[in-house]
Amino acid sequence: MTAPSIAPSAPTRAGARPAKTPRRRVPHARAVLVFLLPFGVLFALFYLLPIGYAVYQSLLVVERDGTFGPPVEVFGGLTQYIAVFQNEAFWSSVGRVLAFGVVQVPVMLGVALVLALLLDSPLVKGKKFFRLAYFVPYAVPGVIAAIMWGYLYSPNLSPFSALTSEVSFLSPDFVLWSIANVVTWVYVGYNMLIIYSSLLSIPAEIYEAAKLDGASQLQIALRIKIPLVVPAITLTAIFSIIGTLQLLAEPQVFRSFTSSVSSTFTPNMAVYATSAVPNVNLAAAMSVVLALATFAMSFAFLKFTQRKAEK
Amino acid sequence: MSATLSAPARKPDASGEPGASRSNRKPRAPREKLMSRSAAMIVMVVSCFYFLLPVWWLFVSSTKSREQFGSTNGFLLADFNLFQNIGNLFAYNDGIYLRWMLNSVLYAGAGALIGTVISAMAGYALAKYRFPGRELVFNVVLGGVLVPATALALPLFLIFSQVGATNTFWSVFLPSLVNPFGVYLARIYASASVPDELLEASRLDGSGEVRTFFTIARKLMTPALVTIFLFQFVAIWNNFFLPLIMLRDESLFPVTLGLYTWNSQVNQIPEIRTYVIIGAFVSIIPLIIAFLSLQRFWQSGLGSGSVK
């Protein structure tokens, strides 16, 4: 609430032009404060403070005076970050979620887009039913979805035992994609609805004009609808990227179905495992690296699509 | 973006009627139309099976006795033991499952309710008032949207352990209240749906700013508020890392964490598997009911996030 140089430009304040007194008053300053304070305090305590504290912790190292001396935390500069970059388990977990994201996010959003376009086309009957049916998995928490699919994948308990006895969905080579299927199953309907409601907001006259010009449904979808819902797709893509790097619940649950999921399978699992050692400072450094990577990737993606849209 | 493309001069003739009625235009073969129609429906129905079959399996499995779970077809009902199973689930281990459900309802219900009010107030202030630093505040909040919540779980644990408050209700409840995306949605929606003239009029009537928000603006923002509430509710209900890292005491667990611990004990205690499956089924019912009963709100509010 500082920055005194910026004059509040209140367009509603009509009549006598504001006197140029040095004492500038923000209109309704008290109300603004009342509205912003609760969120501001909680945001500072449970968002900004943890970020700052994680950075602080990541700069410390534990030292002992001799072999049996009490552990003392001392400033260690970037020691923990060097340790993170040398930590092979962490980097293979990053590689794993990147491979996951490169495949799973486009597939999921592609399916969501196709289903949204079909729902929006005149070709489909029973739209209301389909819309809800596709959305049902979103009401299933990741932990529960993973438990459910864990049974569906298991060689002996699965109702698809003819398939699961042939293909081992829980083998080390395959388990990442089995998890990808669980995530896709949960989130396609949610992403579809975001794209679909964006399609609904396109004014109908646009289609009328295109139809009069003899455009087919496919052409309308490709040339008109998809370009107009790019902002919605961008939003879903960013959330999916964030979600992918955060992957935790599904693989953690799969650990009780298969030994192919290691305790450091994803970056967040690596953080959890490292903090349980306990090596809190290293885990904090991992958290910071992960948060920065997520932030950078979603930001870069946002800028990239914006530039493309401007061209 | 739309104005230039519409063609109001031409009389829009009967739209959507298949081929026959529009002889003056290149007629689309009805055969082709039928093909694309059936292809579309096939895609829709197949997807429907993909999305619903696992839930159907979960329902069917939770109606079966332990013996029939392993021995009968997973998609076909056998003897209907659902209520007996639920009774056993609720009785198991002194009713810990009910406790977990109650905890989840409290974490998610109360958390989302308070969180929505807080986000709505902040978003409304950012949309409707001009004050120095407004853009800065908004950009910080937007940055918060991009910070992964799980990256905060560990530092939150460290902070709570500094004040000796880990393994408490509040250690999971309080951090869940903050929802930057809710502020973002509320700001967009308030700018679009709460007219300045209305606020000016209520000012002339002598209503205070805060009162105006809770009476007039709140009503106009209802679809956005329901959307924010529902999605925050789901986010808290699904949250796994924070309770996993914070809580040791079983009686504080949300239902997801409880079922997770049960599921990891299945190899030692085989009979617990039945409870995992029935518990999983029972735990998704409240969310499905909430979504179905509130759908007219969130379906209209959902799209507003992507509108720039």
Side-chain angles (χ1 to χ4, degrees):
Chain A
M1 311 300 114
T2 48
S5 57
I6 304 163
S9 55
T12 47
R13 221 197 292 168
R17 71 177 220 272
K20 285 242 188 300
T21 51
R23 186 178 133 269
R24 70 261 108 75
R25 265 193 62 219
V26 178
H28 314 297
R30 241 188 36 195
V32 171
L33 209 61
V34 169
F35 285 135
L36 284 179
L37 207 59
F39 181 80
V41 169
L42 289 170
F43 187 77
L45 275 179
F46 301 121
Y47 253 81
L48 301 181
L49 184 64
I51 293 172
Y53 196 68
V55 172
Y56 166 70
Q57 283 288 334
S58 70
L59 297 175
L60 300 177
V61 289
V62 176
E63 276 184 0
R64 277 169 196 280
D65 206 12
T67 319
F68 299 105
V72 191
E73 286 188 327
V74 295
F75 181 76
L78 296 178
T79 316
Q80 300 293 1
Y81 289 93
I82 294 166
V84 170
F85 281 95
Q86 287 169 346
N87 190 317
E88 262 176 49
F90 183 74
W91 287 106
S92 55
S93 77
V94 170
R96 208 171 279 128
V97 290
L98 285 181
F100 181 102
V102 166
V103 176
Q104 189 265 341
V105 174
V107 167
M108 175 179 69
L109 295 184
V111 174
L113 178 63
V114 167
L115 292 179
L117 286 170
L118 282 176
L119 265 186
D120 193 52
S121 77
L123 298 172
V124 168
K125 294 242 157 55
K127 294 179 180 190
K128 209 177 159 196
F129 168 76
F130 285 122
R131 202 169 56 197
L132 283 177
Y134 297 170
F135 194 64
V136 163
Y138 185 67
V140 180
V143 174
I144 311 289
I147 291 177
M148 207 163 68
W149 279 97
Y151 284 106
L152 293 176
Y153 288 143
S154 79
N156 35 25
L157 289 166
S158 173
F160 306 107
S161 48
L163 180 66
T164 52
S165 55
E166 292 296 318
V167 187
S168 67
F169 287 99
L170 299 172
S171 66
D173 293 336
F174 218 84
V175 74
L176 185 66
W177 309 112
S178 302
I179 295 172
N181 175 53
V182 179
V183 177
T184 307
W185 181 79
V186 172
Y187 287 103
V188 162
Y190 169 72
N191 290 312
M192 179 204 74
L193 267 183
I194 292 183
I195 299 171
Y196 178 65
S197 46
S198 167
L199 282 170
L200 285 184
S201 65
I202 300 174
E205 302 90 67
I206 295 185
Y207 305 142
E208 288 300 328
K211 264 193 224 154
L212 287 176
D213 292 342
S216 71
Q217 283 299 329
L218 187 66
Q219 283 171 320
I220 292 180
L222 291 179
R223 302 264 175 80
I224 301 176
K225 290 182 177 178
I226 293 181
L228 286 176
V229 296
V230 163
I233 298 174
T234 309
L235 185 83
T236 56
I238 290 175
F239 282 152
S240 306
I241 292 172
I242 296 178
T244 302
L245 288 166
Q246 289 194 84
L247 205 59
L248 172 86
E250 293 85 356
Q252 186 77 29
V253 168
F254 268 48
R255 277 170 65 73
S256 34
F257 290 104
T258 169
S259 55
S260 335
V261 180
S262 65
S263 67
T264 56
F265 196 72
T266 70
N268 260 326
M269 288 168 75
V271 171
Y272 181 58
T274 310
S275 70
V277 168
N279 190 344
V280 170
N281 306 107
L282 181 62
M286 286 177 177
S287 277
V288 173
V289 170
L290 186 60
L292 282 178
T294 313
F295 195 94
M297 281 184 68
S298 17
F299 194 75
F301 185 78
L302 194 69
K303 284 287 156 214
F304 174 72
T305 47
Q306 268 176 1
R307 188 175 321 155
K308 261 198 147 176
E310 277 161 17
K311 267 183 192 167
Chain B
M1 61 180 177
S2 63
T4 53
L5 275 169
S6 60
R10 267 188 265 179
K11 187 166 167 268
D13 57 16
S15 58
E17 284 301 310
S21 68
R22 302 168 64 179
S23 47
N24 56 338
R25 211 146 275 292
K26 173 183 81 170
R28 295 256 279 149
R31 180 91 164 273
E32 187 193 336
K33 193 97 185 176
L34 191 71
M35 289 236 316
S36 49
R37 217 177 258 275
S38 349
M41 282 310 278
I42 288 172
V43 173
M44 297 304 274
V45 171
V46 169
S47 318
C48 202
F49 273 103
Y50 171 66
F51 290 117
L52 292 185
L53 220 50
V55 179
W56 172 250
W57 172 85
L58 188 65
F59 167 70
V60 168
S61 300
S62 45
T63 65
K64 287 181 180 169
S65 66
R66 196 176 311 151
E67 302 76 52
Q68 286 183 331
F69 173 68
S71 62
T72 55
N73 184 311
F75 295 120
L76 299 178
L77 288 166
D79 297 337
F80 197 80
N81 280 321
L82 178 65
F83 297 107
Q84 202 179 324
N85 286 341
I86 292 179
N88 290 343
L89 168 73
F90 286 177
Y92 180 74
N93 200 354
D94 295 331
I96 189 79
Y97 181 83
L98 272 180
R99 179 75 202 243
W100 291 340
M101 281 296 272
L102 204 69
N103 287 343
S104 275
V105 169
L106 211 57
Y107 287 127
L113 194 69
I114 299 173
T116 304
V117 174
I118 292 171
S119 308
M121 280 164 39
Y124 174 80
L126 290 170
K128 285 292 146 194
Y129 296 96
R130 292 173 183 279
F131 54 90
R134 182 173 76 151
E135 287 311 307
L136 177 74
V137 172
F138 187 61
N139 284 333
V140 171
V141 171
L142 262 190
V145 174
L146 298 183
V147 173
T150 58
L152 298 174
L154 175 71
L156 278 170
F157 171 79
L158 299 176
I159 290 174
F160 274 89
S161 64
Q162 286 286 316
V163 293
T166 57
N167 198 21
T168 60
F169 172 81
W170 302 107
S171 65
V172 173
F173 183 78
L174 289 176
S176 314
L177 296 176
V178 192
N179 178 8
F181 189 62
V183 177
Y184 170 74
L185 268 186
R187 175 184 171 160
I188 287 176
Y189 204 85
S191 327
S193 68
V194 183
D196 285 330
E197 297 77 33
L198 205 63
L199 300 183
E200 212 49 56
S202 85
R203 257 166 224 150
L204 290 178
D205 286 347
S207 167
E209 299 298 316
V210 178
R211 218 189 91 183
T212 306
F213 169 75
F214 280 102
T215 52
I216 297 170
R218 184 193 51 110
K219 276 198 197 112
L220 294 171
M221 290 169 68
T222 300
L225 297 183
V226 175
T227 310
I228 296 171
F229 173 81
L230 263 177
F231 288 98
Q232 192 169 359
F233 186 94
V234 172
I236 303 175
W237 189 278
N238 292 356
N239 193 354
F240 178 66
F241 201 14
L242 189 65
L244 174 73
I245 216 166
M246 283 286 186
L247 302 176
R248 289 285 162 273
D249 181 357
E250 226 183 34
S251 67
L252 290 173
F253 283 5
V255 69
T256 46
L257 186 56
L259 286 173
Y260 164 77
T261 50
W262 272 1
N263 192 53
S264 24
Q265 292 163 10
V266 162
N267 290 330
Q268 292 87 2
I269 321 168
E271 78 259 23
I272 220 172
R273 175 178 290 141
T274 332
Y275 298 129
V276 171
I277 288 179
I278 300 154
F281 175 69
V282 173
S283 80
I284 64 176
I285 295 175
L287 277 189
I288 291 184
I289 291 176
F291 271 114
L292 289 184
S293 56
L294 293 172
Q295 53 169 313
R296 73 190 170 91
F297 291 107
W298 56 262
Q299 290 202 346
S300 63
L302 198 60
S304 48
S306 58
V307 180
K308 286 276 154 63

